[in-house]
Amino acid sequence: NEGNEYFRERDYRRAIVAYTEGLKKKCEDPELNAVLHTNRGAAQFYLGNYRSSLSDAIQAKKLKPTHLKAIVRGALCHMELKNFSEAIAWCEEGLRIDSKEKKLVEVRAKADKLKPEGTLLEICTDFSTRRQGRAVMGIDLLCLTERNIKLALEPSNDEEEISDGLAEISLDGFHSDSAMGAKVHLDADGNLNWPVLFLYPEHGQTDFIAAFHENSRFIDHLMVMFAELPPWDLERKYLPSNLELYFEDEERAETYELNPEHTLLQVLQHQRYFVKAGTPTVLAFVKHSPFSKNYFSGKKVHQL
């Protein structure tokens, strides 16, 4: 209620603080938490913090998949971020719930007109095929070769061995934005925005970022993702400053530790990074944790 009062007064910063305090109460009512995330996202939106607003919309939709206000907010955020394909996907999801939702119809039409054509890189992300090592591509690969970004070659047979590290993490039941067909795309400024998957092996959890700007740093996303500790982090260890990020070189069975201050593009340009199924993937561990030490025991680890 306090947050709503500040919102009506257009004091969005105080509204954000109030909604955050509400979320800290760890209420067991998912619908109320969805409303708190949606309202905080709205306040962030009016301050121009579109990525933070989108993060709240994603959290609200996880708590209540049919929450139209959260879906509308997510679509609007993608429009502001010029992620027109993602905006369309969010609109279509909302219109399946309410085909007459006026705002979604309007945003869908606007996104259709603004969506780049011709040079758009169509690498669709589909995790049911990703788990089999397949990708659907369409294709202007020039923007990848110009950036020295390498794609993993598809296997010649129907089955593919999964690396030891990733085999420990089950993606069954993973239902986030990947289900909306998130894909790498060029924005209006000619920059690539990638769907990126974060894996937390210790807890068998995942995070999915539908549009990770190639010039954004990993630490910036970690600050948003872990602004509040996730419910599965019972020991309260997953703080942005307490995390280490890695990627696996499956061909050589080696692992590389990333610098969180690096941008996504810097990582993708590494000579041993190969993008698989159109979705860059990173693994996150708590520094010096017993699980981390055990996980990397006997493995060759490089630092970027």
Side-chain angles (χ1 to χ4, degrees):
N1 290 337
E2 182 180 301
N4 290 345
E5 186 61 34
Y6 283 131
F7 194 96
R8 282 191 289 269
E9 295 171 1
R10 299 186 180 181
D11 191 342
Y12 300 122
R13 296 188 186 280
R14 287 186 178 179
I16 289 169
V17 171
Y19 294 134
T20 300
E21 288 301 313
L23 287 164
K24 286 181 179 179
K25 296 300 180 182
K26 303 296 182 184
C27 172
E28 294 183 1
D29 181 350
E31 187 156 347
L32 177 56
N33 286 331
V35 170
L36 285 167
H37 274 293
T38 302
N39 289 3
R40 186 174 70 176
Q44 294 278 20
F45 186 89
Y46 284 110
L47 288 175
N49 301 330
Y50 302 123
R51 294 189 186 279
S52 295
S53 180
L54 178 59
S55 178
D56 269 319
I58 291 170
Q59 291 300 319
K61 192 159 66 66
K62 284 181 179 178
L63 290 163
K64 187 181 179 183
T66 59
H67 193 28
L68 273 177
K69 284 188 177 180
I71 294 174
V72 170
R73 184 62 57 197
L76 290 171
C77 288
H78 278 304
M79 288 296 293
E80 293 295 335
L81 294 168
K82 296 181 171 58
N83 302 331
F84 302 121
S85 295
E86 281 73 15
I88 291 170
W90 278 68
C91 289
E92 289 179 346
E93 184 177 10
L95 291 170
R96 285 195 292 269
I97 299 168
D98 182 355
S99 61
K100 297 181 180 179
E101 171 55 51
K102 184 177 179 181
K103 193 65 180 177
L104 290 176
V105 172
E106 292 175 355
V107 173
R108 175 70 172 80
K110 185 176 179 181
D112 246 343
K113 291 180 181 179
L114 294 173
K115 181 179 176 183
E117 295 179 359
T119 59
L120 180 66
L121 177 65
E122 295 287 347
I123 302 180
C124 299
T125 302
D126 181 275
F127 281 92
S128 63
T129 58
R130 181 188 186 284
R131 292 171 60 219
Q132 300 171 11
R134 301 188 186 97
V136 180
M137 298 186 196
I139 261 208
D140 175 2
L141 289 178
L142 180 60
C143 51
L144 290 188
T145 55
E146 287 176 343
R147 290 168 169 79
N148 195 28
I149 296 175
K150 299 165 289 299
L151 301 179
L153 295 176
E154 295 186 34
S156 57
N157 56 356
D158 288 336
E159 297 300 325
E160 176 190 21
E161 292 183 3
I162 301 175
S163 70
D164 292 339
L166 292 180
E168 298 176 21
I169 306 162
S170 171
L171 294 182
D172 289 337
F174 174 57
H175 299 294
S176 70
D177 296 75
S178 61
M180 300 190 307
K183 56 195 172 185
V184 60
H185 67 279
L186 284 168
D187 61 25
D189 298 318
N191 298 305
L192 287 177
N193 291 262
W194 292 85
V196 175
L197 181 64
F198 285 78
L199 305 175
Y200 310 108
E202 183 173 1
H203 298 278
Q205 297 289 332
T206 62
D207 268 323
F208 184 77
I209 298 176
F212 193 131
H213 191 285
E214 63 180 349
N215 293 323
S216 291
R217 303 179 304 166
F218 281 88
I219 187 62
D220 296 329
H221 283 279
L222 291 176
M223 294 295 289
V224 173
M225 291 156 59
F226 292 98
E228 297 169 27
L229 293 174
W232 44 264
D233 181 19
L234 301 179
E235 297 179 40
R236 305 179 68 79
K237 299 184 298 184
Y238 279 72
L239 303 170
S241 61
N242 201 31
L243 297 178
E244 293 177 339
L245 302 178
Y246 298 83
F247 75 82
E248 292 190 332
D249 180 347
E250 297 184 24
E251 181 182 336
R252 296 184 180 179
E254 297 176 352
T255 306
Y256 291 81
E257 181 181 356
L258 315 183
N259 181 347
E261 298 289 335
H262 281 175
T263 65
L264 175 61
L265 180 58
Q266 286 176 297
V267 173
L268 296 183
Q269 289 177 330
H270 188 270
Q271 59 181 352
R272 293 309 304 169
Y273 199 103
F274 295 88
V275 179
K276 188 176 180 181
T279 307
T281 301
V282 296
L283 294 86
F285 298 85
V286 173
K287 292 179 181 178
H288 312 304
S289 68
F291 181 90
S292 176
K293 292 178 181 178
N294 181 64
Y295 186 93
F296 291 111
S297 177
K299 294 183 179 181
K300 190 171 183 179
V301 180
H302 305 271
Q303 287 191 327
L304 267 62

